[in-house]
Amino acid sequence: MKNIETLKNENMNLADKIYILDTTLRDGEQTPGVALTVDEKIQIARKLNNLGVDKIEVGFPASSKGEIESSKKIASLGLDSTLVGLARSLKSDIDAVIDSDLGYVHSFIGTSPLHRDYKLKMPKEKIIETAVDAVEYAKDHGLTVEFSAEDATRTERDFLFDVFGEVVNAGADFLDVPDTVGVLTPIVAHELISDIKSNFSTPISVHFHNDFGLATANSLTALECGANQVHVTVNGLGERTGNCSLEELVITLKVAYGIDLGLDTTRLYSLSHLVGRFTGVKMPVNKPIVGENAFAHESGIHVHGILNNSNTYEPMSPELVGHSRRIVLGKHTGANALKSKLKEYHIDLNDDQFCKVFDEIKSLGDSGKCVTDDDLVAIATIELGSARETPIVIKGLSISSGANVSPTATVKLEIDGVEKETANTGVGPIDAALNAIRNLIQDSIDVELEEYNLEAITGGTDALAEVFVISSDSKGNRSTGRSTNQDIVMASILAVLDSINKLLLIQRVDS
Ligand code: KIV
Ligand code: ZN
């Protein structure tokens, strides 16, 4: 079998320097339903800069005053990454990029028959003239110019080359090839980029969309054929199904191709989370590199292998991307996994106790339940006999809320056998109840509610509400809590107490 070095030498025409242009703040923000605040854009730009991407497309300044404001603020940060502004091939759009204090314009115009005839209603000659005028204008104003032939992959090859030839003569510094509707496949990408590469000496950039799930594969193929730059987004965000994913491209290059672009990849996981939080687009658990299951193992055979040598069932270490390995307990759990989990929590069980805990985990898994670490600690603690009763139990709740009154909750809890009651207000009844709980438990535990999710799981006004929460304590323990109830305040309180009780049990095992 040939090794990667041989393949590289024989089949690849890699550029000496590969640039990463991140467009999370522009194409990523075009994800349906996503809008970022100026502050969020600044935070993401800083993180991209610290990761080490070469270029950041900060926005489309001509599209709104807010875009100019955020672009200007990012420009004033003095980041190392080159900052890019998008512009149609119009002087006014290029002026907006200049007004945003950006020195690099990404100027585009549609070149395919569909764009010429149905969107721009311009003949070929006019497209060329407009593109050239824009490039010349931007160059005259001292900008670096990347020219995009929008919908390049559905443009007649001879016309695409005519446009590229003219903008190169006008001074374009980069030629970008957008696969605007994501119709490219690797073999076509190979032919197209090789053809462009052999006809133009100007650096080639690619901007591939993910409609068929091939954006990363196509981008890698383009690099193999000599492309100098790839447009990417964090989490693969972008129009419709998104763009080539930053984390997939960078890690595949590093791990599978052995090409280190010099980025601090240990920042990828936290960047993905930050972007997920700001955009509200949460990654599926099976998202490559940054998904919650990327380094999670449940099956007994896999966990056994992982515990001996993580390379058996992982292509790279989770630390490489700032992620962490997770051994998940459930119906496929083997004894080795359970032993390692118990060791992690310093829980010693005798053989009989071990078998009982093992059986309980298997039967929870069989009944379709997800068994978290905290569930395990709670089950094992009960088996050890060290848990008395559930530490905190709700004994009473009354809510007053309505128009022109501050929502107030009176909550009564029994904490380790002692009843306590208090009232507090909040922005709504749930907030008021949680504030009251916080007051009541403050002497027992210091907790923070990290995540709160409320979902109606049946329809109608009598719908069942399901609340899922994640809490953490000051010692870094995290626990989940879940509850289902027709009353959303009650569901919220029970879910929060469920997670707090687990944290208390973990603390008691630890001490
Ligand atoms: O997908 C696309 O064609 C674009 C252009 C603006 C380059 O995002
Ligand atoms: Zn795009």
Side-chain angles (χ1 to χ4, degrees), residues 26-27 30 86 106 108 148 150-151 176 178-180 207 209:
R26 198 279 294 170
D27 214 319
Q30 287 173 220
L86 183 72
H106 172 198
F108 74 99
S148 263
E150 192 187 14
D151 209 14
D176 183 51
D179 184 25
T180 302
H207 175 105
H209 277 274

Side-chain angles (χ1 to χ4, degrees), residues 267-281:
R267 297 173 180 268
L268 285 171
Y269 178 73
S270 69
L271 174 62
S272 161
H273 264 249
L274 184 87
V275 170
R277 193 148 57 79
F278 288 169
T279 57
V281 183

Side-chain angles (χ1 to χ4, degrees), residues 407-437:
T408 306
T410 307
V411 178
K412 191 194 278 184
L413 299 179
E414 186 182 285
I415 305 175
D416 287 325
V418 180
E419 278 194 8
K420 290 184 177 179
E421 180 176 304
T422 196
N424 209 334
T425 55
V427 290
I430 297 176
D431 192 43
L434 296 183
N435 287 340
I437 289 179

